[in-house]
Amino acid sequence: METCIFFDHCEKDTQIVKQVKNLYKALKASDKEAIAKILADDPVWNVSPGFPYGGVYNGMAEIFGSFYSKLRNQFNSFGAMPETFIDGGDVVTVLGFYTFKSNKDNSTKFVRFSHTWKINGDGRIKGVWQVADTAQFIG
């Protein structure tokens, strides 16, 4: 079994898994230039109902101008910790945890997630279908 830090590329990583890892890295660093190169021109984020601001977001303006800006305002900190990457050909499914600190009590919580990233023919990411343990966000 190969072990590596999730941001690092492992010897056995496929090209699309590397691309998804690059996106997590760019999102964490807020590297807008890298994000724009990795994502397709009109990406779609399909966020679970029950998740804060859940819904479907089309295009960079909605994803980053609406969804992420609202999400960041709700928490003192919020981030994704991907653990497992599964290459499905034209999709990569990632299992991991969100970690966040609530604005209410500043307590740290961990919430399981599954992200399924759709990859287009030129290797750019078309979007994500996100599922999370939304009950953790209530209260």
Side-chain angles (χ1 to χ4, degrees):
M1 174 183 261
E2 186 172 359
T3 304
C4 66
I5 305 298
F6 73 91
F7 280 152
D8 293 340
H9 298 305
C10 296
E11 185 177 309
K12 295 179 184 177
D13 282 350
T14 62
Q15 194 57 42
I16 64 171
V17 167
K18 289 178 184 177
Q19 185 75 320
V20 171
K21 286 183 176 184
N22 286 337
L23 180 61
Y24 281 105
K25 192 176 196 177
L27 289 168
K28 182 175 176 126
S30 298
D31 184 343
K32 293 177 184 177
E33 187 176 315
I35 292 167
K37 288 178 183 176
I38 295 168
L39 293 177
D41 293 335
D42 291 312
V44 177
W45 259 224
N46 189 329
V47 180
S48 293
F51 190 84
Y53 311 105
V56 178
Y57 296 87
N58 295 291
M60 301 285 238
E62 283 188 15
I63 293 166
F64 296 99
S66 181
F67 174 65
Y68 280 119
S69 64
K70 289 179 193 174
L71 193 62
R72 285 187 192 110
N73 287 332
Q74 183 168 337
F75 301 102
N76 287 333
S77 66
F78 189 92
M81 297 174 16
E83 291 186 324
T84 304
F85 295 80
I86 305 162
D87 182 343
D90 63 348
V91 298
V92 173
T93 297
V94 179
L95 306 175
F97 292 87
Y98 293 118
T99 179
F100 66 93
K101 286 190 178 187
S102 168
N103 280 344
K104 294 178 184 175
D105 61 8
N106 206 36
S107 64
T108 301
K109 293 188 179 182
F110 295 90
V111 175
R112 290 178 189 228
F113 73 71
S114 172
H115 295 157
T116 298
W117 300 95
K118 181 75 173 162
I119 314 298
N120 69 16
D122 66 359
R124 293 175 74 197
I125 296 172
K126 292 171 40 174
V128 66
W129 188 70
Q130 178 261 24
V131 177
D133 179 4
T134 58
Q136 299 295 319
F137 293 100
I138 298 171

